[in-house]
Amino acid sequence: MSEGDSGHKRRASLTPRRANPRLAAGRARALGLPTRGTTNANRLRRVDRWILATQLPRLRDAARPLVVDLGYGASAVTTLELVDRLAPAVPGLEVVGLEIDPARVAAVEADRDPPRVDFRVGGFELAGLRPVLVREFNVLRQYDEASAARAWETTCAALGPGGLLVEGTCDEWGRRATWVALDADGPLTLTLAARVAELDRPSDLAERLPKALIHHNVPGQPVHDLLRALDAAWAAAAGLTAFGPRQRWVAAVQALADDGWPLVGSTRRWRHGELTVRWSAVAPS
């Protein structure tokens, strides 16, 4: 699984959940559809750094610190990077990459090193695993919105106790990304992250919004209000450009906090070009 391309102009869909759901392509277990599968080294560095900065207590407190990389694509590179970033900080870490296409799993056989890192066939049902964290990036853009919501539901239902799903999208080089954090009760937060030196305005991130929000970036919707407010704060902080784009971004995010937007997490993350807001503030109305 990975981001769709022009060959996916007709949006994929998942049938509504039933007692015995019909699974893709007649597979016995894996739920979902194959996608283009392309990726690049270091593409997911922003979300990985956020996981490392915010989710270590969740991983360290788990009886089995199992992480699933759902839809890693045609290469194991971003899964192996996730292992390398988390393993030094999480004793006993296990990472399993899941792909719905058996050929992609076979192609990365040489990268297996269980239990540290393994690769299996699986989809939104997580192949029977009960992970404490799932990273799912550039997978749901090919689906229609209702099917993406069902994918959220299916994956969250398969999480282990206290588990978290991190689902989002990014550009080809990982310079612009957004993601939603969800647990078994639903969405918790939305994070925007970018190499701010390459932003003309923060709303440039709109094209990378998750499927749950991208079609709601219209006047009258909360996520549109957030991006417009961030653009205005960015413009107001233009005088700080001489001190660097990070300083300008920090000032813009601080202005949002001052205006009452429910931002989450340490202010130190702002210097990394991040902003995290409670889902309730951006959920479609």
Side-chain angles (χ1 to χ4, degrees), residues 48-258:
D48 287 355
R49 290 169 184 166
W50 178 85
I51 290 171
L52 191 60
T54 67
Q55 301 303 315
L56 284 186
R58 186 186 305 273
L59 292 167
R60 288 171 172 168
D61 291 346
R64 181 189 181 193
L66 173 62
V67 176
V68 164
D69 186 17
L70 181 56
Y72 58 84
S75 164
V77 60
T78 52
T79 304
L80 298 176
E81 288 173 346
L82 179 63
V83 175
D84 289 343
R85 287 165 181 151
L86 292 183
V90 183
L93 176 74
E94 298 177 43
V95 176
V96 176
L98 292 182
E99 257 297 340
I100 203 164
D101 184 350
R104 293 178 184 171
V105 178
V108 297
E109 173 68 24
D111 296 304
R112 295 180 64 243
D113 182 22
R116 184 173 184 264
V117 60
D118 203 356
F119 299 90
R120 303 182 190 176
V121 174
F124 299 124
E125 81 303 325
L126 304 184
L129 299 171
R130 299 282 285 169
V132 68
L133 189 142
V134 175
R135 184 187 70 177
E136 179 183 336
F137 249 66
N138 302 310
V139 171
L140 293 183
R141 286 176 69 88
Q142 68 165 335
Y143 290 89
D144 59 59
E145 189 173 347
S147 293
R150 287 192 289 273
W152 270 6
E153 180 185 357
T154 300
T155 302
C156 286
L159 292 170
L164 191 77
L165 166 62
V166 182
E167 187 275 314
T169 184
C170 65
D171 66 7
E172 290 76 7
W173 303 108
R175 293 170 181 169
R176 299 177 183 180
T178 73
W179 57 87
V180 179
L182 313 90
D183 65 11
D185 294 323
L188 301 170
T189 60
L190 168 72
T191 298
L192 310 179
R195 183 177 179 182
V196 294
E198 297 185 4
L199 289 180
D200 289 330
R201 54 185 182 179
S203 61
D204 291 347
L205 284 162
E207 66 183 13
R208 293 296 162 181
L209 286 171
K211 175 58 67 173
L213 292 175
I214 195 166
H215 301 302
H216 296 277
N217 183 32
V218 295
Q221 288 288 338
V223 70
H224 185 270
D225 293 342
L226 172 68
L227 291 174
R228 297 288 81 72
L230 188 54
D231 277 353
W234 177 258
L240 294 173
T241 303
F243 299 99
R246 288 188 180 184
Q247 290 290 84
R248 185 180 180 184
W249 175 266
V250 168
V253 177
Q254 182 64 63
L256 288 192
D258 293 344

